[in-house]
Amino acid sequence: MPTSAGISATADSPQVAVFAAPDGAVTGYLSNPQPSGAPLTFLVASTDGDWLQVYLAQRPNGSTGWVKADTVTLHSLVYSLRASTEQNTLALYKNGALVKTYTAATGTGGTPTPHGSFYITELLQPTNEGYGPYAFGLSAFSDVLTSFGGGPGQIGLHGTDDAGSIGHAASHGCIRLSNADITELATLLPLGTPITIE
């Protein structure tokens, strides 16, 4: 029997309150859509009655919070990703079965790609050079860089203008794919798709 890759939760209103615990204190409010224009989307970690524990795209990596289930719409996910910084690969799984392995570029020794469990937060078509035709924003942040390119040091999964870097430790922490490969994934992967980096 196919196994679900997880559950995503997409915000239904212009603002979502995040709580420290079910019926606990509000720790913050998140805007929907995100600044990029992408819908505010979470990956669900667990459920407790009318509450959902969700992973948050913020520092420190792996942060979670609680949202009310009636403020989001749930979607079952079939795809997941697993990146290896040692092998410079990105594996695509569907319902737990390996579909394809892509050659990737990952962070250098000085600016490593962070390890852990994350998810896709947004899909962009970059206007600045170097990122190829598509870029997924991830819920991961660099352990070294607090800012990069005007942003907060968020890790991306994107294409590249430097095809020769693919297969090497060459980035500031992002995961690079060939432009053909990132275009293929851009048509497949919904927001909330989990990615494990190891």
Side-chain angles (χ1 to χ4, degrees):
M1 182 176 172
T3 55
S4 168
I7 303 290
S8 67
T10 304
D12 291 332
S13 60
Q15 194 176 61
V16 173
V18 179
F19 297 79
D23 295 316
V26 175
T27 57
Y29 295 90
L30 297 175
S31 297
N32 177 46
Q34 300 174 68
S36 65
L40 179 63
T41 305
F42 307 100
L43 177 63
V44 176
S46 66
T47 60
D48 184 355
D50 297 331
W51 293 86
L52 303 172
Q53 185 184 30
V54 295
Y55 293 103
L56 300 173
Q58 66 183 42
R59 297 178 189 274
N61 284 333
S63 293
T64 61
W66 292 84
V67 299
K68 293 181 178 178
D70 61 6
T71 63
V72 296
T73 299
L74 301 180
H75 305 274
S76 184
L77 301 167
V78 297
Y79 290 105
S80 60
L81 298 168
R82 184 174 293 272
S84 168
T85 57
E86 186 175 326
Q87 299 176 344
N88 286 307
T89 56
L90 179 74
L92 172 68
Y93 294 84
K94 184 176 183 180
N95 293 321
L98 180 63
V99 174
K100 190 171 182 178
T101 301
Y102 303 91
T103 303
T106 58
T108 65
T111 54
T113 302
H115 290 190
S117 298
F118 309 105
Y119 69 95
I120 290 173
T121 61
E122 56 197 340
L123 174 61
L124 311 171
Q125 290 182 273
T127 53
N128 30 351
E129 292 183 11
Y131 296 96
Y134 294 100
F136 288 110
L138 304 181
S139 62
F141 290 82
S142 171
D143 293 326
V144 178
L145 302 174
T146 55
S147 64
F148 181 76
Q154 181 181 8
I155 299 299
L157 167 61
H158 57 74
T160 182
D161 292 351
D162 182 9
S165 69
I166 302 299
H168 303 281
S171 79
H172 286 91
C174 289
I175 300 169
R176 300 179 191 169
L177 296 177
S178 73
N179 290 340
D181 290 346
I182 195 67
T183 300
E184 181 180 311
L185 290 180
T187 65
L188 276 185
L189 302 179
L191 303 188
T193 297
I195 175 169
T196 302
I197 303 174
E198 55 191 18

